[in-house]
mmCIF file of all heavy atoms in Angstrom:
data_model
loop_
_atom_site.group_PDB
_atom_site.id
_atom_site.type_symbol
_atom_site.label_atom_id
_atom_site.label_comp_id
_atom_site.label_asym_id
_atom_site.label_seq_id
_atom_site.Cartn_x
_atom_site.Cartn_y
_atom_site.Cartn_z
ATOM 1 N N GLY A 21 -9.146 11.228 -1.682
ATOM 2 C CA GLY A 21 -8.795 12.641 -1.578
ATOM 3 C C GLY A 21 -7.338 12.819 -1.959
ATOM 4 O O GLY A 21 -6.932 12.463 -3.064
ATOM 5 N N ASN A 22 -6.527 13.367 -1.051
ATOM 6 C CA ASN A 22 -5.102 13.565 -1.300
ATOM 7 C C ASN A 22 -4.250 12.401 -0.823
ATOM 8 O O ASN A 22 -3.043 12.410 -1.012
ATOM 9 C CB ASN A 22 -4.606 14.846 -0.609
ATOM 10 C CG ASN A 22 -5.064 16.084 -1.341
ATOM 11 O OD1 ASN A 22 -5.456 16.028 -2.493
ATOM 12 N ND2 ASN A 22 -5.012 17.209 -0.659
ATOM 13 N N VAL A 23 -4.849 11.393 -0.192
ATOM 14 C CA VAL A 23 -4.099 10.267 0.363
ATOM 15 C C VAL A 23 -4.054 9.122 -0.653
ATOM 16 O O VAL A 23 -5.080 8.697 -1.170
ATOM 17 C CB VAL A 23 -4.722 9.771 1.685
ATOM 18 C CG1 VAL A 23 -3.960 8.579 2.229
ATOM 19 C CG2 VAL A 23 -4.736 10.897 2.710
ATOM 20 N N VAL A 24 -2.842 8.638 -0.940
ATOM 21 C CA VAL A 24 -2.634 7.522 -1.858
ATOM 22 C C VAL A 24 -2.074 6.358 -1.056
ATOM 23 O O VAL A 24 -1.122 6.516 -0.303
ATOM 24 C CB VAL A 24 -1.646 7.911 -2.981
ATOM 25 C CG1 VAL A 24 -1.384 6.734 -3.900
ATOM 26 C CG2 VAL A 24 -2.168 9.099 -3.761
ATOM 27 N N THR A 25 -2.673 5.166 -1.212
ATOM 28 C CA THR A 25 -2.240 3.979 -0.488
ATOM 29 C C THR A 25 -1.998 2.850 -1.473
ATOM 30 O O THR A 25 -2.835 2.590 -2.330
ATOM 31 C CB THR A 25 -3.312 3.540 0.529
ATOM 32 O OG1 THR A 25 -3.588 4.618 1.411
ATOM 33 C CG2 THR A 25 -2.840 2.344 1.337
ATOM 34 N N LYS A 26 -0.833 2.181 -1.337
ATOM 35 C CA LYS A 26 -0.511 1.005 -2.142
ATOM 36 C C LYS A 26 -0.443 -0.178 -1.198
ATOM 37 O O LYS A 26 0.329 -0.165 -0.246
ATOM 38 C CB LYS A 26 0.818 1.187 -2.863
ATOM 39 C CG LYS A 26 0.789 2.291 -3.886
ATOM 40 C CD LYS A 26 2.120 2.446 -4.571
ATOM 41 C CE LYS A 26 2.082 3.579 -5.573
ATOM 42 N NZ LYS A 26 3.378 3.729 -6.266
ATOM 43 N N SER A 27 -1.295 -1.193 -1.447
ATOM 44 C CA SER A 27 -1.380 -2.323 -0.530
ATOM 45 C C SER A 27 -1.465 -3.648 -1.279
ATOM 46 O O SER A 27 -1.665 -3.692 -2.489
ATOM 47 C CB SER A 27 -2.595 -2.170 0.377
ATOM 48 O OG SER A 27 -3.779 -2.176 -0.384
ATOM 49 N N CYS A 28 -1.336 -4.747 -0.530
ATOM 50 C CA CYS A 28 -1.448 -6.101 -1.061
ATOM 51 C C CYS A 28 -2.930 -6.453 -1.182
ATOM 52 O O CYS A 28 -3.664 -6.319 -0.205
ATOM 53 C CB CYS A 28 -0.738 -7.087 -0.139
ATOM 54 S SG CYS A 28 -0.937 -8.808 -0.623
ATOM 55 N N PRO A 29 -3.388 -6.914 -2.362
ATOM 56 C CA PRO A 29 -4.803 -7.271 -2.511
ATOM 57 C C PRO A 29 -5.185 -8.548 -1.769
ATOM 58 O O PRO A 29 -6.353 -8.757 -1.476
ATOM 59 C CB PRO A 29 -4.971 -7.451 -4.021
ATOM 60 C CG PRO A 29 -3.612 -7.767 -4.523
ATOM 61 C CD PRO A 29 -2.641 -7.068 -3.607
ATOM 62 N N ASN A 30 -4.207 -9.404 -1.432
ATOM 63 C CA ASN A 30 -4.501 -10.664 -0.753
ATOM 64 C C ASN A 30 -4.693 -10.495 0.748
ATOM 65 O O ASN A 30 -5.686 -10.925 1.309
ATOM 66 C CB ASN A 30 -3.393 -11.693 -0.997
ATOM 67 C CG ASN A 30 -3.325 -12.102 -2.446
ATOM 68 O OD1 ASN A 30 -4.284 -11.972 -3.184
ATOM 69 N ND2 ASN A 30 -2.178 -12.568 -2.863
ATOM 70 N N CYS A 31 -3.716 -9.867 1.415
ATOM 71 C CA CYS A 31 -3.750 -9.818 2.878
ATOM 72 C C CYS A 31 -3.979 -8.411 3.447
ATOM 73 O O CYS A 31 -4.219 -8.257 4.631
ATOM 74 C CB CYS A 31 -2.453 -10.393 3.453
ATOM 75 S SG CYS A 31 -0.991 -9.410 3.088
ATOM 76 N N GLY A 32 -3.879 -7.358 2.612
ATOM 77 C CA GLY A 32 -4.120 -6.006 3.088
ATOM 78 C C GLY A 32 -2.892 -5.299 3.628
ATOM 79 O O GLY A 32 -2.994 -4.186 4.137
ATOM 80 N N TYR A 33 -1.698 -5.912 3.529
ATOM 81 C CA TYR A 33 -0.457 -5.291 3.994
ATOM 82 C C TYR A 33 -0.230 -3.992 3.227
ATOM 83 O O TYR A 33 -0.323 -3.957 2.004
ATOM 84 C CB TYR A 33 0.718 -6.251 3.768
ATOM 85 C CG TYR A 33 2.062 -5.699 4.161
ATOM 86 C CD1 TYR A 33 2.497 -5.783 5.474
ATOM 87 C CD2 TYR A 33 2.887 -5.105 3.223
ATOM 88 C CE1 TYR A 33 3.732 -5.290 5.845
ATOM 89 C CE2 TYR A 33 4.117 -4.610 3.581
ATOM 90 C CZ TYR A 33 4.543 -4.698 4.893
ATOM 91 O OH TYR A 33 5.756 -4.209 5.260
ATOM 92 N N VAL A 34 0.053 -2.884 3.917
ATOM 93 C CA VAL A 34 0.263 -1.585 3.288
ATOM 94 C C VAL A 34 1.736 -1.417 2.971
ATOM 95 O O VAL A 34 2.577 -1.389 3.869
ATOM 96 C CB VAL A 34 -0.228 -0.435 4.204
ATOM 97 C CG1 VAL A 34 0.102 0.911 3.585
ATOM 98 C CG2 VAL A 34 -1.709 -0.552 4.454
ATOM 99 N N PHE A 35 2.053 -1.337 1.665
ATOM 100 C CA PHE A 35 3.425 -1.103 1.244
ATOM 101 C C PHE A 35 3.815 0.344 1.531
ATOM 102 O O PHE A 35 4.872 0.617 2.068
ATOM 103 C CB PHE A 35 3.604 -1.383 -0.250
ATOM 104 C CG PHE A 35 3.385 -2.825 -0.619
ATOM 105 C CD1 PHE A 35 2.342 -3.185 -1.443
ATOM 106 C CD2 PHE A 35 4.224 -3.810 -0.150
ATOM 107 C CE1 PHE A 35 2.137 -4.503 -1.801
ATOM 108 C CE2 PHE A 35 4.037 -5.142 -0.494
ATOM 109 C CZ PHE A 35 2.983 -5.479 -1.325
ATOM 110 N N ILE A 36 2.942 1.277 1.152
ATOM 111 C CA ILE A 36 3.218 2.700 1.373
ATOM 112 C C ILE A 36 1.896 3.465 1.348
ATOM 113 O O ILE A 36 0.957 3.092 0.660
ATOM 114 C CB ILE A 36 4.195 3.256 0.314
ATOM 115 C CG1 ILE A 36 4.660 4.654 0.666
ATOM 116 C CG2 ILE A 36 3.590 3.181 -1.071
ATOM 117 C CD1 ILE A 36 5.814 5.148 -0.164
ATOM 118 N N SER A 37 1.831 4.536 2.134
ATOM 119 C CA SER A 37 0.692 5.428 2.140
ATOM 120 C C SER A 37 1.211 6.840 2.349
ATOM 121 O O SER A 37 2.027 7.067 3.231
ATOM 122 C CB SER A 37 -0.282 5.051 3.268
ATOM 123 O OG SER A 37 -1.387 5.911 3.265
#
Side-chain angles (χ1 to χ4, degrees):
N22 285 342
V23 178
V24 178
T25 303
K26 295 180 181 181
S27 62
C28 175
N30 294 338
C31 66
Y33 178 85
V34 175
F35 295 116
I36 189 168
S37 180

